Amino acid sequence: MAKPLRKDAQRNRDLLVAAARELFAERGLDVPLEEIARCAGVSIGTLYNRFPGRADLIDAVFADRVAATRVLAEEALDMPDAWDGLVRFLTGVCEMQAADLGYNALASERGPYAAASEEAVAEGYALMRRIVARAQESGTLRPDVTLEDMVFVVWGHARTVEATAAIAPRLWRRHLALLLDGLRTPEPSPLPEPPLSPEQARRAMSP
Amino acid sequence: MAKPLRKDAQRNRDLLVAAARELFAERGLDVPLEEIARCAGVSIGTLYNRFPGRADLIDAVFADRVAATRVLAEEALDMPDAWDGLVRFLTGVCEMQAADLGYNALASERGPYAAASEEAVAEGYALMRRIVARAQESGTLRPDVTLEDMVFVVWGHARTVEATAAIAPRLWRRHLALLLDGLRTPEPSPLPEPPLSPEQARRAMSP
DNA sequence: GGGGAAGTTGAGGGTGCCCTCAAGTAGGTA
DNA sequence: TACCTACTTGAGGGCACCCTCAACTTCCCC
């Protein structure tokens, strides 16, 4: 546990996180740090005192979203119908993506920020793996897709979510429905290539 | 028709386009112009003489790909089976995306370069609309998707193509198959939102 | 082959962002 | 109140890229 900050320092920290949360949500993860500082009414030097790099600020801003994603996954696992659980989880993730450009980027962009709190990500993956497995065991999710497939599918979908968020904020529901129809069991065609291993997927997403 | 370039100028122009083609393919559309000039063995000033801005260079580099896409679409329309034609077209586009990061970005990124030769894009859309309509008339493509849906689907898919091109260059075939299963008619679930109008789609893709 | 138009060059100014650090300020403890 | 430490400040150096322009070189036509 780190020693507590001085009162003014803590206040500034909170202001910074709040400003960053707002700007990240509106404009993505690439907002200039100087703008965040200005928007928080604090100097750029203070920002660097509190957060050595952009990634630390991102960690602080999105800690609650990571937690929310976890809760979402647990709720999905608690739903009586496995397919409903899967749909619920994907819908929830897309909702957050549509509401927050920063979250979208974090959940979908390959790049330097994916590192945010390694073990939280690992936990999230473990939960998602259970959601997928459960849906497959129930016979509703086609048996030949893997978690890695799902991640890429969502990843691609994120771009649509982002592009249409401003113009038709609910359109992603349409595309998600389209996508889910491809994941259902009824008459899947054989898939032409083997899936990615978890390790390969990891490498593909953080170059 | 513009007046012909002097011999050396034409040679330099060709060198620049060749260098740009290579660098765009390897590293995307954001390569520094100075690097392109250096790689062509020409000064940055010459590059600016020949191409006032990055977009002009992009136009020159990808003119043939735009033409190739058009040919692909026409071939698809000539295939006896409408569904095969659709698959053929989508596969061809993904192949080009996987082989060339620049083409991928051009076909998928929203941003300042989408403008490349307006009327060529319009023609391409018209052809794609026919491919979609034909597949729907044949009863194989679900009737409730529109061209605009397809564009976004491909658009999202492009991100997967790009991410996995280096690690598993054929993986996109797997994801395309998944996607096509969602587009087939058999048991489509009702889509929850109305599609985008062409105008809305245009706005969504070039902010 | 000579003159002028066409083309080339690359240093340099502009911009936007990153990050640092020496000097100044304000909390908190005695 | 006084002092020490934690904290803040913002000008400024660094970097990467964009783009320009005055001086120089090359081509091409007469």
Side-chain angles (χ1 to χ4, degrees):
Chain A
M1 187 69 189
K3 54 200 71 172
L5 289 171
R6 226 171 63 182
K7 195 174 51 179
D8 56 340
Q10 182 63 50
R11 199 184 54 91
N12 284 339
R13 205 196 111 100
D14 294 345
L15 287 171
L16 279 167
V17 170
R21 173 170 293 131
E22 185 156 340
L23 289 173
F24 285 159
E26 271 170 26
R27 296 175 29 207
L29 260 20
D30 288 329
V31 198
L33 295 178
E34 308 193 292
E35 190 168 349
I36 294 175
R38 185 163 7 103
C39 172
V42 138
S43 100
I44 179 66
T46 298
L47 189 154
Y48 276 97
N49 276 350
R50 218 43 64 216
F51 304 99
R54 183 182 295 269
D56 305 275
L57 187 51
I58 290 174
D59 269 4
V61 166
F62 290 103
D64 63 336
R65 291 310 173 84
V66 172
T69 307
R70 193 209 159 90
V71 169
L72 183 65
E74 280 161 352
E75 280 177 20
L77 280 171
D78 282 345
M79 290 183 75
D81 182 83
W83 176 259
D84 289 349
L86 177 66
V87 171
R88 170 68 196 277
F89 178 73
L90 291 179
T91 305
V93 168
C94 289
E95 260 164 9
M96 290 198 274
Q97 286 176 335
D100 187 329
L101 240 128
Y103 179 88
N104 189 339
L106 205 58
S108 73
E109 208 138 294
R110 73 207 201 116
Y113 312 127
S117 47
E118 285 284 354
E119 89 286 358
V121 170
E123 269 181 54
Y125 269 57
L127 286 169
M128 283 165 56
R129 207 175 286 282
R130 285 174 55 201
I131 294 175
V132 167
R134 197 169 79 110
Q136 281 171 330
E137 281 154 20
S138 82
T140 46
L141 176 61
R142 53 190 291 173
D144 51 358
V145 304
T146 66
L147 172 61
E148 284 68 36
D149 290 326
M150 301 285 298
V151 169
F152 277 102
V153 161
V154 172
W155 200 32
H157 186 59
R159 188 181 266 180
T160 302
V161 175
E162 174 187 332
T164 59
I167 284 172
R170 297 175 52 85
L171 184 76
W172 60 265
R173 293 176 192 275
R174 179 178 172 89
H175 288 272
L176 181 57
L178 226 38
L179 205 155
L180 287 170
D181 272 359
L183 295 175
R184 244 185 276 271
T185 297
E187 301 183 26
S189 40
L191 296 176
E193 293 287 320
L196 237 44
S197 72
E199 167 58 17
Q200 284 178 311
R202 208 189 50 67
R203 280 202 294 141
M205 302 197 64
S206 29
Chain B
M1 187 69 189
K3 55 200 70 171
L5 290 171
R6 228 170 63 179
K7 194 175 50 178
D8 56 340
Q10 181 63 51
R11 199 183 55 90
N12 284 341
R13 205 196 111 101
D14 294 345
L15 286 172
L16 280 166
V17 170
R21 173 170 293 131
E22 186 155 341
L23 289 173
F24 285 158
E26 269 170 30
R27 297 175 28 206
L29 260 21
D30 288 328
V31 197
L33 295 178
E34 308 193 293
E35 190 168 347
I36 294 174
R38 184 161 10 100
C39 172
V42 139
S43 100
I44 179 65
T46 298
L47 189 154
Y48 276 96
N49 275 351
R50 217 44 64 217
F51 304 100
R54 184 182 294 269
D56 305 275
L57 187 51
I58 290 174
D59 270 4
V61 166
F62 290 103
D64 63 337
R65 290 309 173 85
V66 172
T69 307
R70 192 210 160 89
V71 169
L72 182 65
E74 280 162 352
E75 279 177 20
L77 280 171
D78 281 345
M79 290 183 75
D81 182 84
W83 177 259
D84 288 349
L86 177 65
V87 171
R88 168 69 195 276
F89 178 72
L90 291 179
T91 304
V93 168
C94 290
E95 260 163 9
M96 290 199 273
Q97 286 176 335
D100 186 330
L101 238 120
Y103 179 88
N104 190 339
L106 207 58
S108 73
E109 208 139 294
R110 73 205 203 118
Y113 312 127
S117 46
E118 286 284 355
E119 89 286 355
V121 170
E123 267 182 53
Y125 269 56
L127 285 169
M128 282 164 56
R129 206 173 287 282
R130 284 175 56 201
I131 295 175
V132 167
R134 197 169 78 111
Q136 281 171 331
E137 281 155 20
S138 83
T140 45
L141 175 62
R142 53 190 292 172
D144 50 359
V145 304
T146 66
L147 172 61
E148 284 68 36
D149 290 326
M150 301 284 298
V151 169
F152 278 102
V153 162
V154 171
W155 201 31
H157 186 60
R159 188 180 265 181
T160 302
V161 174
E162 174 187 332
T164 59
I167 283 173
R170 296 175 53 85
L171 185 75
W172 60 264
R173 292 174 194 274
R174 179 178 172 89
H175 287 273
L176 182 57
L178 227 38
L179 205 155
L180 288 170
D181 271 0
L183 294 175
R184 246 185 274 271
T185 297
E187 302 183 26
S189 41
L191 297 177
E193 293 286 322
L196 238 45
S197 73
E199 168 59 18
Q200 284 178 311
R202 207 188 50 68
R203 279 202 294 141
M205 304 198 63
S206 28

